[in-house]
Amino acid sequence: MKTIPLAEGIKLKSILTKKVQELVYEFQKNAHVVVEKGETPKQTGRSLKEIEADLAQVRKDIRTLDKLIYRANIENTIEFKGEVMPIVEAIELATQLRAEVSLYKTLGNSEKEKIYTSTGEGVVLYEVAMYDPREYRERANQLEKEAHRLSNLINAKNYEVHIEFDDSNYF
């Protein structure tokens, strides 16, 4: 059987998902025709059976790709910061790092102290950050670099690992 890089399988799955949407649209479009009363409807475009057959094949290929991608993501590992982890864990870690970066950037963009509100009675209130915004900006920058490094490792592994899938129907 033909093999393809895992990265190509991931991209192909996205393409096939879009293909399903296109086939469903074609199915709906070809399901009805407008004719005058007493006229015999004529097939315009492909028959519903043809479209259904294509739809079934594409959906089967998506399921197959899912299985192969999930298996490859569990069986293959990446080393990051001295820790070896399956690709699936590395993907989740990269997602978590990006979420942490977003939080830290928000904190880092805050002011240490700013006027909160005025009561109108000569009392001025301040909103005071209970942390050092500069420290969180620096942490966000560092974590963002780590997230990029991890993403690069994942991408490289996705081209290194191959899965058994015949993509000749699509490429």
Side-chain angles (χ1 to χ4, degrees):
M1 166 155 282
K2 183 179 176 191
T3 65
I4 60 172
L6 177 56
E8 187 178 315
I10 294 166
K11 182 177 180 181
L12 180 56
K13 183 180 175 229
S14 175
I15 291 168
L16 295 183
T17 300
K18 186 175 181 199
K19 180 76 173 165
V20 165
Q21 294 170 347
E22 292 168 356
L23 288 167
V24 167
Y25 174 77
E26 182 184 4
F27 186 86
Q28 292 171 333
K29 188 179 95 175
N30 291 344
H32 300 91
V33 294
V34 177
V35 297
E36 288 185 31
K37 186 167 182 93
E39 292 290 317
T40 305
K42 293 187 174 107
Q43 181 73 45
T44 59
R46 299 189 313 147
S47 74
L48 296 183
K49 287 199 182 291
E50 290 174 304
I51 300 167
E52 282 180 293
D54 285 353
L55 197 51
Q57 183 59 53
V58 172
R59 284 178 169 155
K60 181 178 186 292
D61 286 343
I62 287 173
R63 290 191 312 273
T64 301
L65 274 171
D66 264 349
K67 176 180 68 177
L68 295 171
I69 290 167
Y70 292 151
R71 184 179 298 141
N73 281 342
I74 290 170
E75 292 175 353
N76 293 279
T77 60
I78 289 175
E79 184 176 341
F80 180 67
K81 294 177 70 175
E83 183 179 349
V84 176
M85 63 187 78
I87 296 173
V88 68
E89 184 179 351
I91 291 168
E92 180 58 30
L93 177 57
T95 302
Q96 291 173 2
L97 286 173
R98 285 188 200 96
E100 202 169 351
V101 166
S102 178
L103 172 64
Y104 288 178
K105 280 185 175 186
T106 300
L107 293 173
N109 288 328
S110 293
E111 296 176 37
K112 179 67 177 164
E113 182 177 282
K114 66 181 177 181
I115 294 178
Y116 181 70
T117 186
S118 178
T119 62
E121 298 174 9
V123 176
V124 179
L125 301 175
Y126 289 90
E127 179 180 276
V128 180
M130 303 300 290
Y131 59 91
D132 180 2
R134 186 182 75 251
E135 181 183 316
Y136 276 90
R137 273 193 302 279
E138 291 168 4
R139 288 173 66 184
N141 289 335
Q142 183 58 38
L143 281 177
E144 191 168 39
K145 289 176 186 177
E146 288 181 23
H148 291 321
R149 278 193 294 274
L150 181 54
S151 291
N152 287 342
L153 290 171
I154 293 167
N155 289 336
K157 186 61 104 169
N158 285 345
Y159 281 99
E160 180 184 313
V161 172
H162 283 71
I163 57 175
E164 288 188 6
F165 186 83
D166 183 2
D167 63 353
S168 62
N169 288 337
Y170 307 104
F171 294 118

